[in-house]
Amino acid sequence: MASNILTPEARQENVKALALAAGITPEQAAERLDGRVLCTFNREDAAACQFYEELRPVLGRTIDVHDTPDGRRYLVEMVIGEVEPRGGAATVFVGLGPDSCCFSSVPAGVYSSKPVHGALSVVAACYGAAVAVHRAVGEGIPNPPPEHLEIRYDEILPDLSVLSEAVDMGGAYLAGAGAIGNGFLWAARHVDLRGELRVCDDDIVSSGNLQRQVWFEGDDIDAPKASTLCQKAQPHIPGCRLKPEPIRLQDLPIRTGAWLKRLIVAVDSRRARRELQNELPAEVFDASTTDIREVVIHYNNAVSDLACMGCLYKADEKEASQDQIIGEHLGVSVDEVKSSRISPAAAVAIARKHPHLDPDTIQGEAFDSLYKTLCATGKLHASVGKQVVAPFAFVSVLAGTLLLFEVMSRLARPGSVQSNEWHLSPWREPFSQGRMTRLRFSACECCGDSARARALRGLRSKLWAS
Ligand SMILES: [Zn+2]
């Protein structure tokens, strides 16, 4: 992939993620990630070309990908379809069929050169990237892909026919134009989404973000995420009007009345999810990642008695200790960290402890983003908690894609999805126990039994009915 994607900062994010996941030193991780992956396929094979076109931009954000050998060594050769391996590297045989894709160390069964639905090829590419990353650099990663990984598309999306229909979102909001928000609109290139989507994010594109935010390139560094994402994705999603809001959804000026009917959540912290739930959305679609290990999809609405984001992402000890670590390293109080964004006073305090930082530049930035950046650039030698480690690109793109499928399924087939929470590993087949129904948590700060929570629930139900 072009060097304006895998910048030194983007590579550093991958090094950190791999080092922590595989239990190796950053030096060892950097050495592994210096390798390359070769893809071998027949240019006349439409399914193989489709798969490669989706694999390259996703896998290429983790490790260099080539489709023509240059005589130097490759760590892994992905052999897509019915072609002979060139040899000289560990081989992953990619099988593509109408109902599933599979990745195996031996030639993999049935193959069809007929392309599948474009959105399913994004799914295949994400799992293909997982297997390639594991075989190339992932020794030591817990719960790795099996020798033969088969992903059935109907286990990812039970009613595949929704992908071929126009789905109208009405007036919806997307909170977060980062990795998962990028993934959502990346997969949406292949479907017929209608309506209007307001994309809210107050952050700007950083060099490290290129490691996983699939629409962004080197030229976008320092540009606002919301407008950059809308501008890039809009031509590919002509039926849905994308409107950028360079502000956090919780800070939008017009937040009165029945304003937030449909909220799609792609933010990167537990606390932000609770804040968003307290904005009383009538309906919530949410996707999150737990570093590289897990993708979680969640749904709630005002009339069900099931869990909300406050129940699912309640403040826990890990979050409290993370706040403390961030506060100590940046030189501010825990209460300040809890306010999420760096105030003018906090910016001055941080710059006092870290003189290379300019208070005007960091003001308004999220505490955990700044902390992540400082860790990634080696300015902080902290024992980094797992919560602040970025996932690999394929994990975020998969999460965004599944979020899109959730929105389309719920809107096109109301009542068809019973569970409200789905956990799956981006490295393995989905398993049926991963789909669950989580009930309300009685002490939830958003929907629990306290008088305030009850009043909020009442308001939210009215909004749903309006
Ligand atoms: Zn709740």
Side-chain angles (χ1 to χ4, degrees), residues 61-222:
R61 290 189 183 243
T62 308
I63 190 164
D64 287 314
V65 184
H66 292 196
D67 59 6
T68 310
D70 63 3
R72 284 166 54 220
R73 185 171 166 264
Y74 290 92
L75 294 174
V76 160
E77 181 181 5
M78 301 281 279
V79 178
I80 311 163
E82 292 164 326
V83 284
E84 287 297 316
R86 292 175 190 271
T91 313
V92 175
F93 290 92
V94 180
L96 302 169
D99 306 317
S100 68
C101 55
C102 63
F103 309 93
S104 182
S105 49
V106 293
V110 191
Y111 186 81
S112 163
S113 57
K114 193 166 171 263
V116 290
H117 190 285
L120 298 178
S121 72
V122 177
V123 172
C126 289
Y127 284 101
V131 174
V133 166
H134 173 250
R135 299 281 190 270
V137 301
E139 197 192 332
I141 289 180
N143 206 18
E147 278 294 299
H148 179 93
L149 174 67
E150 179 168 9
I151 303 296
R152 287 194 54 84
Y153 297 131
D154 61 3
E155 286 183 2
I156 296 288
L157 177 62
D159 187 346
L160 293 167
S161 64
V162 299
L163 293 178
S164 309
E165 294 174 19
V167 174
D168 192 344
M169 296 192 294
Y173 286 82
L174 173 65
I180 298 175
N182 266 251
F184 180 86
L185 290 176
W186 187 252
R189 290 173 297 147
H190 298 294
V191 298
D192 188 1
L193 220 46
R194 304 277 174 90
E196 181 183 271
L197 184 66
R198 286 177 185 250
V199 178
C200 306
D201 199 313
D202 67 342
D203 203 4
I204 56 165
V205 180
S206 74
S207 183
N209 290 157
L210 303 184
Q211 174 256 7
R212 61 196 176 281
Q213 303 188 5
V214 71
W215 281 103
F216 300 149
E217 299 165 289
D219 294 345
D220 303 320
I221 292 171
D222 290 337

Side-chain angles (χ1 to χ4, degrees), residues 380-401:
L380 282 185
H381 296 283
S383 57
V384 189
K386 288 213 166 182
Q387 280 189 348
V388 295
V389 176
F392 294 127
F394 70 84
V395 180
S396 305
V397 173
L398 182 65
T401 305

Side-chain angles (χ1 to χ4, degrees), residues 6 10-18 33 61-62 211 392:
L6 274 179
R11 284 187 189 272
Q12 201 50 41
E13 294 267 345
N14 283 321
V15 164
K16 211 170 51 144
L18 179 62
L33 286 164
R61 290 189 183 243
T62 308
Q211 174 256 7
F392 294 127

Side-chain angles (χ1 to χ4, degrees), residues 20-57:
L20 271 163
I24 56 178
T25 66
E27 291 73 23
Q28 289 167 323
E31 202 180 316
R32 287 190 193 181
L33 286 164
D34 205 24
R36 299 108 42 83
V37 170
L38 176 65
C39 292
T40 301
F41 58 99
N42 181 347
R43 304 297 198 271
E44 315 271 289
D45 178 336
C49 291
Q50 180 194 38
F51 174 80
Y52 177 71
E53 284 308 312
E54 293 296 338
L55 177 73
R56 187 180 45 85

